[in-house]
Amino acid sequence: MIAVGIVGCNYGRNVLLPAFRSDPRCQVVALAGSDGERTAALARAADVPRGFGGWPPLVEDPGIAAVAIAVPPSLQPAVARRALELGKAVFVEKPLAADLGGARAMVALATKTAKPAGIDFGFPELPAWQYAKGIIGRGGLGRLRHVVVTWNIENQAVRIRLRSWKTDAANGGGVLANFVSHCFHYLEWFCGPIAGLSGRLFRLPQSEAQVGVTLALAFASGAGGSLQMSCASFLGSGHRIEFYGDDGTLVLANPTADYFRGFTLMQGGRGDERLQAVSVAGNGDDPSADSRIAPVSRLVQRFLDACENGGAASPGFAEGYRVQCLIDAVARASASGRWTDIPPPADILRPREEKQT
């Protein structure tokens, strides 16, 4: 039985706790939050044996073998690094950190300790996405020509004008860290490495809240792409990814406000007059439960496999660092107004700057 401690009382309690409890190989034995009295009460209500006011007592508890972290990006590196130093496995949220330096320190320590270090990129765990990946991988669209991502929603932080890391780029948040981090991960999962990009970031009028981005992308394969995301779109069109190849088109689309539930898949090939719905078996998750729990449960399963077998977690810190580099490239491209070339993933940890033209 693997003893797990969770740092974070919001996402950590509502999503990570049931996700870890879905696997009988582990037991969540502790919860940590910033307010000791409140955390103790939440732990009791959730039937978690212990609640800590602050993360150090949980991380330093010798009885805890794995630490799951759900805190803002600016705080995450300190928690993760201390857990790794103590020989514990670590499961973190995206993005890895608030900046490249923090992310680099995390991935370097994870590599040095060789402890399982997983990260929460949930979209590729959805059945429709895996089916789409299979079509593309088998050459069902022919050579990929172009990919278009549009994601227009209004998240809660914007809707209620909440001052939060989720809209604060200076604190490791904003639309890039909170949403586009997912996009970068799944685009490279689907299409291979991004070789260059340009674009612009947008804030709410008369506000510092970073809520939108528009990007042009170039993939190493030669395919082009575009990405437009806004978390300030009232009654927005939802989340849509369009893949255009020599021999066909594939569309993943979710017009609902639910981040993970509601995706449909459409495909059309040469000779078809229109896109046709592709039937995809459901994932069997409880439709009344938080839709984030099912994909995270699959990530947790692989993380625990690594804890048991001594292998690497997938996705891991290397993928997280790659996404952090792409986030950083967007910020610099937006500030400079220049196209930015991106090194391939194999070179991403080397101390060299991307070329700007």
Side-chain angles (χ1 to χ4, degrees):
M1 185 67 68
I2 300 169
V4 177
I6 296 176
V7 180
C9 291
N10 186 7
Y11 186 88
R13 177 173 56 94
N14 294 321
V15 179
L16 294 183
L17 176 58
F20 275 93
R21 280 181 166 168
S22 70
D23 195 306
R25 294 173 294 175
C26 71
Q27 181 182 7
V28 178
V29 298
L31 183 68
S34 57
D35 184 315
E37 185 175 341
R38 176 176 178 270
T39 304
L42 291 173
R44 287 193 299 271
D47 198 25
V48 175
R50 287 173 290 170
F52 293 102
W55 62 265
L58 182 150
V59 170
E60 295 175 8
D61 188 321
I64 292 175
V67 178
I69 306 168
V71 298
S74 59
L75 303 178
Q76 184 158 260
V79 186
R81 290 175 62 188
R82 183 56 180 155
L84 288 167
E85 288 170 352
L86 293 171
K88 301 176 190 293
V90 176
F91 185 89
V92 303
E93 291 306 307
K94 54 78 204 165
L96 279 182
D99 52 43
L100 269 180
R104 187 179 294 112
M106 289 173 68
V107 75
L109 188 56
T111 301
K112 179 180 178 180
T113 62
K115 289 296 179 181
I119 187 168
D120 186 358
F121 286 120
F123 283 107
E125 306 306 313
L126 299 177
W129 291 58
Q130 293 176 352
Y131 200 99
K133 168 79 167 176
I135 292 172
I136 295 169
R138 292 191 300 270
L141 305 182
R143 181 179 56 191
L144 195 64
R145 294 175 171 178
H146 194 74
V147 183
V148 178
V149 177
T150 54
W151 193 357
N152 291 292
I153 57 169
E154 184 183 55
N155 69 335
Q156 184 180 18
V158 172
R159 185 169 58 251
I160 65 176
R161 298 295 194 271
L162 178 68
R163 294 182 63 88
S164 163
W165 74 267
K166 293 183 177 181
T167 56
D168 182 5
N171 196 32
V175 70
L176 271 181
N178 197 24
F179 292 101
V180 179
S181 57
H182 279 298
C183 300
F184 282 147
H185 177 257
Y186 70 60
L187 280 172
E188 293 204 328
W189 181 73
F190 276 127
C191 309
I194 295 169
L197 56 81
S198 65
R200 184 175 177 182
L201 291 159
F202 300 92
R203 302 181 184 275
L204 277 178
Q206 300 180 337
S207 169
E208 291 301 308
Q210 184 198 88
V211 296
V213 64
T214 300
L215 300 175
L217 305 170
F219 292 89
S221 67
S226 62
L227 187 158
Q228 179 273 316
M229 198 283 156
S230 167
C231 62
S233 299
F234 174 61
L235 298 180
S237 56
H239 195 174
R240 183 179 177 95
I241 308 102
E242 304 168 15
F243 303 91
Y244 297 100
D246 287 344
D247 303 323
T249 295
L250 190 66
V251 177
L252 268 172
N254 180 4
T256 78
D258 191 308
Y259 294 163
F260 287 97
R261 188 177 288 129
F263 280 97
T264 60
L265 186 61
M266 303 283 285
Q267 183 179 9
R270 297 290 181 184
D272 294 332
E273 294 184 356
R274 62 182 64 87
L275 295 173
Q276 303 289 335
V278 177
S279 178
V280 179
N283 55 25
D285 67 314
D286 180 358
S288 66
D290 189 314
S291 65
R292 298 171 293 181
I293 295 172
V296 176
S297 296
R298 297 182 185 95
L299 293 171
V300 164
Q301 181 179 1
R302 294 205 299 276
F303 173 69
L304 294 175
D305 288 344
C307 291
E308 280 195 328
N309 303 324
S314 177
F317 279 16
E319 291 90 339
Y321 186 74
R322 170 67 176 179
V323 167
Q324 197 90 40
C325 290
L326 293 168
I327 289 172
D328 182 73
V330 173
R332 290 186 289 106
S334 179
S336 68
R338 298 177 179 177
W339 180 266
T340 300
D341 291 328
I342 310 295
D347 297 337
I348 206 70
L349 290 177
R350 296 176 185 173
R352 96 184 186 193
E353 290 296 318
E354 292 91 340
K355 178 182 176 183
Q356 293 188 340
T357 57

